[in-house]
Amino acid sequence: MRLRNKPRAVGEIADNPQSITTTPADFKGKWQTKFAETQPLNVEIGSGKGRFIIEMAKAYPKQNFIGIELQPSVAIMILEKQLLEKLPNLYLIQANGENLTDYFATDEVANLYLNFSDPWPKKRHAKRRLTHKIFLAMYEQVLQPEGKVTFKTDNRGLFEFSLMSFNAYGAQFEQLSLDLHNSPEITDNIETEYEQRFSQMGHPIYLAKIQFVGAK
């Protein structure tokens, strides 16, 4: 994502701890204190400009949502939308989403969302892909036993790698689509900004929803 640096971002983020934090480890095991009600906690890793996480929070008011975004100049876009919306079931993290087990306690998260993650196409960078087994182990730890990971991408190479990674890890496939926008059986899809753009360009959107079945 190429964006201009926004000098005000760091200060504005620091000024709004009621909506966003840069020190998520401080709230490990205590995230429900950030919301108006104690409800199932859903986390998106890499929220971009925030369309998905905001629309999810609106669509499911009986669930809580956390959006994680690394770049301050991007996170501020979500923050400014939230300051207008004031959704009681949405909170934001400006930090590296790769450190998930530092931020969330075992079984603290109900569902995880990976939307259009960096594909890291070079073979030597495979361990950086958010569907590598290193990250799957983290997701399994923070997710509740019935929790699910929903993964969307327009990158065929990343999707194929992810399917092999999920399968090798022993995950159970709950949902699978090679062309999400032409899958009428999937009726609850909320699009991201990237998804809308890629779909308009004629790219098929790939989806996999998985659940971990092994004992912790």
Side-chain angles (χ1 to χ4, degrees):
M1 181 180 290
R2 294 182 178 179
L3 290 168
R4 294 179 182 176
N5 181 48
K6 298 183 178 180
R8 75 179 191 282
V10 173
E12 191 166 336
I13 289 169
D15 289 342
N16 289 281
Q18 78 286 355
S19 300
I20 190 168
T21 184
T22 59
T23 57
D26 293 347
F27 305 101
K28 183 176 181 177
K30 300 178 288 187
W31 285 107
Q32 295 294 346
T33 64
K34 291 295 182 182
F35 300 99
E37 296 183 35
T38 298
Q39 304 179 135
L41 181 63
N42 303 273
V43 176
E44 181 189 21
I45 303 175
S47 292
K49 297 178 182 178
R51 184 183 189 278
F52 175 84
I53 201 71
I54 287 174
E55 293 304 317
M56 286 289 284
K58 289 180 180 178
Y60 301 99
K62 297 300 182 184
Q63 299 187 47
N64 291 331
F65 293 87
I66 288 178
I68 303 176
E69 174 55 47
L70 173 60
Q71 300 297 332
S73 293
V74 182
I76 193 176
M77 296 182 180
I78 319 175
L79 173 62
E80 290 177 343
K81 293 172 185 175
Q82 171 61 352
L83 292 177
L84 292 174
E85 297 280 359
K86 295 181 172 60
L87 297 168
N89 61 332
L90 175 63
Y91 195 77
L92 306 172
I93 293 173
Q94 188 259 299
N96 194 331
E98 294 181 355
N99 304 317
L100 215 63
T101 51
D102 293 339
Y103 307 157
F104 298 95
T106 299
D107 296 347
E108 190 171 14
V109 178
N111 295 288
L112 278 167
Y113 297 91
L114 307 175
N115 292 318
F116 300 88
S117 308
D118 191 328
W120 292 104
K122 294 182 180 180
K123 187 175 182 180
R124 69 176 183 270
H125 292 152
K127 289 184 179 180
R128 297 185 181 185
R129 298 169 191 161
L130 293 183
T131 52
H132 189 275
K133 63 181 180 181
I134 294 172
F135 295 106
L136 298 185
M138 294 185 189
Y139 305 155
E140 184 177 23
Q141 181 174 328
V142 303
L143 277 171
Q144 296 165 1
E146 68 279 10
K148 297 177 177 62
V149 177
T150 301
F151 168 70
K152 290 194 290 186
T153 184
D154 76 316
N155 188 290
R156 181 65 179 250
L158 177 61
F159 189 65
E160 291 175 350
F161 169 87
S162 301
L163 294 185
M164 291 187 291
S165 182
F166 296 152
N167 186 63
Y169 195 84
Q172 175 178 303
F173 288 87
E174 299 288 322
Q175 214 168 41
L176 195 63
S177 176
L178 298 178
D179 191 357
L180 175 59
H181 291 186
N182 288 299
S183 297
E185 71 279 9
I186 301 176
T187 59
D188 59 349
N189 182 54
I190 290 179
E191 298 180 20
T192 75
E193 291 91 352
Y194 275 155
E195 183 173 353
Q196 291 178 327
R197 184 196 311 171
F198 294 149
S199 181
Q200 290 168 2
M201 293 169 64
H203 296 198
I205 305 300
Y206 307 107
L207 173 141
K209 182 180 290 187
I210 64 165
Q211 185 174 20
F212 299 108
V213 295
K216 293 190 178 182

